[in-house]
């Protein structure tokens, strides 16, 4: 029997509203701002919610950096890698890995520097 159920994945960032808008553009869903915007939720239809928390001293993880941890990353499943890549490029991602375009995944960073992968299903 499980002890707990996953409630939400929270990403620290300097601008929760902007990062929530980026992921809403990628995943769809509804952005819900609480109070002064220090905490912002993204409710994704049929999926796991994401939340974004203001962290004034946020330092983006380094990738790839064998001596540093990327801390975590999101794997986002897509139908077509090329089409999805065009979409995230338009939203302001940074491409982190362009070496092997034949793999079933591609690595990017969101506007706050968190790594994420687009993965072909």
């Amino acid at each position: 029997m499980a002890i707990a159920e996953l409630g939400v994945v929270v990403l620290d960032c300097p601008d929760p509203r902007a990062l929530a808008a980026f992921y809403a553009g990628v995943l769809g869903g509804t952005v819900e701002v609480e109070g002064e915007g220090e905490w912002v939720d993204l409710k994704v239809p049929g999926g796991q919610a994401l939340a974004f928390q203001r962290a004034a001293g946020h330092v983006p993880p380094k990738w790839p950096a064998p001596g540093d941890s990327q801390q975590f990353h999101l794997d986002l499943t897509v139908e077509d890698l090329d089409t999805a890549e065009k979409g995230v490029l338009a939203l302001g991602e940074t491409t982190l890995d362009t070496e092997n375009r034949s793999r079933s995944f591609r690595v990017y960073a969101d506007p706050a520097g968190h790594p994420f992968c687009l993965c072909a299903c």
Side-chain angles (χ1 to χ4, degrees):
M1 175 173 10
I3 294 173
E5 180 178 303
L6 180 62
V8 66
V9 174
V10 182
L11 286 78
D12 284 357
C13 59
D15 186 345
R17 291 175 197 236
L19 197 55
F22 171 81
Y23 279 105
V26 174
L27 300 170
T30 304
V31 174
E32 298 177 2
V33 180
E34 295 187 20
E36 300 293 316
E38 298 294 309
W39 181 281
V40 177
D41 289 311
L42 175 60
K43 306 294 185 179
V44 179
Q48 181 64 43
L50 290 175
F52 308 91
Q53 173 177 269
R54 184 176 315 281
H58 173 71
V59 177
K62 297 175 185 170
W63 190 98
D68 291 313
S69 170
Q70 66 176 313
Q71 300 166 17
F72 85 103
H73 72 273
L74 299 173
D75 282 349
L76 307 176
T77 305
V78 300
E79 292 288 327
D80 180 89
L81 283 171
D82 292 331
T83 300
E85 180 175 70
K86 288 176 188 171
V88 296
L89 280 168
L91 292 169
E93 64 77 25
T94 301
T95 303
L96 295 179
D97 182 14
T98 58
E99 291 180 21
N100 186 346
R101 307 297 284 175
S102 67
R103 292 185 305 211
S104 62
F105 67 94
R106 297 180 187 165
V107 185
Y108 307 91
D110 67 26
H114 303 103
F116 70 95
C117 296
L118 295 178
C119 304
C121 53

